[in-house]
Amino acid sequence: MPQLLDRAPTRHPAAAPPNRPAFEDLRARAAALAPTIRARAAQTERDRRVSAETTAQVRDAGLYRLMQPARFGGYEYGFPEFIEMNRTTGRACGS
């Protein structure tokens, strides 16, 4: 039976999207939101959901676009940056 791939796929590094902010800038945005997120942590646990206000602030900071493909307006960062961003926000509230 023939194999569809007889070698590992080749990844071609793509140029960074032109609108992509530096990761340190995104992490600074997340760190700036941390006090507000931390202040809402108890309410988040009581409600068992992240508030609409927090969701809007994270969206407005561009953090949801971290791993989104550039063709859909995202920043195309990888999994290591995703983990690092989760560490930054997770210190404020694990939810």
Side-chain angles (χ1 to χ4, degrees):
M1 179 169 174
Q3 293 186 1
L4 295 177
L5 288 176
D6 57 355
R7 61 179 172 73
T10 304
R11 288 190 67 189
H12 298 284
N19 66 336
R20 180 166 90 169
F23 180 71
E24 288 304 318
D25 291 341
L26 291 171
R27 189 178 3 205
R29 293 178 198 177
L33 289 175
T36 303
I37 292 171
R38 187 175 296 111
R40 293 179 181 148
Q43 187 65 42
T44 298
E45 289 299 314
R46 281 192 296 276
D47 294 346
R48 299 175 53 110
R49 65 185 299 274
V50 176
S51 71
E53 294 85 2
T54 299
T55 300
Q57 287 178 313
V58 171
R59 183 193 61 237
D60 293 346
L63 304 183
Y64 289 139
R65 296 169 59 184
L66 186 71
M67 292 181 68
Q68 185 177 2
R71 68 180 179 263
F72 299 116
Y75 303 142
E76 278 193 12
Y77 278 102
F79 196 69
E81 291 85 4
F82 175 73
I83 295 298
E84 211 34 56
M85 187 64 67
N86 283 326
R87 288 181 61 205
T88 301
T89 57
R91 287 185 187 112
C93 179
S95 297

